[in-house]
Amino acid sequence: MSKSEQASMVATVAPARVAGLALARPPLRWRLSPWWWRLLALPCLMLLISFIAFAALHLTPSDPATVSLRVNMVVPTPEAQALVAQELGLDRPFLIRYADWLQRAVQLDLGYSYLSRRPVLAEFRRALPPTLYLAAVTLLFIVVLALLGAMLCVLGRRTWVDALVRGVVFFLTALPSYWVGLLLIWLLAVRLDWFPVSGMRSPSAVVLPALCLSLAYFGVYLRLLRGSMLAQFNQAYVLYARARGLSERRILVNHILRNALHTAITALSMSIPKLIAGTVVIESIFAWPGIGRLCIEAVFGRDYPMIQAYILLMALLFLTFNFLVEGLQQRLDPRLRHG
């Protein structure tokens, strides 16, 4: 057999083998992406958190009926306790009470506050806008302080400027928030009279609580942004930009900072629910009428419906932002999408 005949035979048999293998190959199973699995896991996690919150508060030594009577200045007699227990449904089995509470919670009926006798959802609607306003201003402070500090550290790398900025940031981050808040009130509000002491009586009243809250967070993002920017200096595109004759300041702002912001934006997005949940102490110090102060009043007053709603809200915020940030990471980095 000649070489030409052998080549034609191979050319004829090879596609047939490939087709046979393709036909014999088992079909791929339909499967969900990790993004969809995380989306399906959100209701399950919320259900678990709701059960833990309901069980933990109802297994405390304090009787909710007695607490409800005492916070409303009523003597807890056995007759009154039995009447309130029947009104709150405490005379029914635990699982039935949980199922009833969960059904009403899905319908946004979170019960009534023991302290104010108002719907819990109405109390949260009143307290949520001040907390969101405080968190937004704090986030702005964090971004500005972290960017300025990271730029100073990178421009003065391996000099005393870098060491000084990192030392000041380490010192400010180590200070307790409540002590910093009291110090700011004494210095900037009482002695210098630059800002109001407490409340929301003027637009400048948000400066002190936002500044106090930002000092506890901006150091983390400054170090993260500084480390990411310093790691970019060894990349090939930086050497190419220098070969083109671009100045160090232009390379830093237009190229290094832009590429280093991906990690910082992802970490900063996860800090938004932390800011909302971390306003408890600051709102109490500055008498800020937000969710944090509402939670403190509920804890001291043993307002169980309010505490349960606060736990659910914080869990929903953390899970939602975690889910959105993971989706953002996959959009910014295709390696995570196909990994």
Side-chain angles (χ1 to χ4, degrees):
M1 184 181 292
S2 62
K3 293 183 178 180
S4 60
E5 292 177 351
Q6 291 179 356
S8 61
M9 183 178 296
V10 170
T12 306
V13 174
R17 288 183 177 178
V18 173
L21 290 175
L23 293 175
R25 189 178 181 181
L28 294 175
R29 293 182 179 179
W30 181 80
R31 59 180 181 178
L32 292 174
S33 64
W35 188 85
W36 286 105
W37 281 116
R38 285 189 289 267
L39 180 61
L40 294 176
L42 285 179
C44 301
L45 290 174
M46 284 299 302
L47 182 65
L48 178 61
I49 293 172
S50 67
F51 180 80
I52 294 175
F54 187 86
L57 293 178
H58 282 74
L59 294 178
T60 56
S62 302
D63 182 20
T66 305
V67 171
S68 178
L69 290 172
R70 287 179 175 173
V71 297
N72 290 280
M73 309 301 291
V74 178
V75 179
T77 60
E79 294 79 9
Q81 290 178 355
L83 183 61
V84 173
Q86 184 178 5
E87 179 184 351
L88 298 177
L90 300 176
D91 54 343
R92 296 181 297 170
F94 172 78
L95 293 179
I96 296 179
R97 282 185 286 144
Y98 169 71
D100 181 61
W101 174 78
L102 183 62
Q103 181 181 4
R104 289 186 286 107
V106 172
Q107 300 172 359
L108 299 181
D109 181 10
L110 300 174
Y112 288 82
S113 170
Y114 290 170
L115 299 176
S116 63
R117 289 293 180 179
R118 296 185 59 199
V120 172
L121 188 61
E123 294 288 338
F124 272 88
R125 286 176 179 173
R126 175 185 60 83
L128 186 59
T131 298
L132 294 179
Y133 175 50
L134 176 60
V137 178
T138 303
L139 191 63
L140 178 63
F141 282 2
I142 291 174
V143 171
V144 172
L145 293 175
L147 281 177
L148 292 178
M151 294 288 286
L152 284 176
C153 290
V154 174
L155 289 175
R157 59 188 181 277
R158 294 188 295 270
T159 63
W160 63 269
V161 177
D162 185 16
L164 178 62
V165 172
R166 284 189 294 163
V168 171
V169 169
F170 179 79
F171 175 74
L172 293 177
T173 307
L175 295 177
S177 298
Y178 64 89
W179 187 82
V180 175
L182 296 176
L183 184 62
L184 292 176
I185 291 175
W186 173 79
L187 180 61
L188 300 181
V190 177
R191 294 296 296 267
L192 300 178
D193 197 20
W194 288 355
F195 303 101
V197 176
S198 60
M200 293 181 62
R201 291 174 293 181
S202 64
S204 61
V206 73
V207 174
L208 289 184
L211 180 61
C212 181
L213 193 59
S214 63
L215 291 179
Y217 289 93
F218 91 97
V220 177
Y221 303 104
L222 187 148
R223 291 192 295 267
L224 178 64
L225 191 57
R226 173 188 173 274
S228 182
M229 292 173 69
L230 290 178
Q232 297 294 323
F233 275 96
N234 299 323
Q235 300 297 323
Y237 73 90
V238 177
L239 299 177
Y240 176 72
R242 287 172 179 166
R244 290 171 54 197
L246 298 180
S247 63
E248 287 292 323
R249 193 177 301 273
R250 187 175 179 183
I251 293 174
L252 179 62
V253 175
N254 295 344
H255 299 279
I256 294 178
L257 180 61
R258 182 181 301 177
N259 292 322
L261 282 177
H262 290 172
T263 305
I265 290 175
T266 302
L268 195 61
S269 301
M270 278 304 299
S271 69
I272 295 178
K274 292 181 182 179
L275 288 176
I276 298 176
T279 59
V280 175
V281 177
I282 302 301
E283 288 184 358
S284 301
I285 293 175
F286 291 93
W288 191 262
I291 290 181
R293 189 180 179 189
L294 190 68
C295 176
I296 289 293
E297 295 175 353
V299 169
F300 281 104
R302 296 181 181 178
D303 194 348
Y304 293 152
M306 193 70 68
I307 298 174
Q308 289 171 347
Y310 181 82
I311 295 174
L312 285 182
L313 177 61
M314 292 301 108
L316 182 61
L317 283 176
F318 274 94
L319 292 177
T320 302
F321 272 90
N322 188 20
F323 174 74
L324 294 177
V325 166
E326 287 183 354
L328 179 63
Q329 285 179 328
Q330 292 182 0
R331 295 287 296 178
L332 295 177
D333 193 349
R335 293 173 300 178
L336 299 176
R337 194 185 317 158
H338 303 290

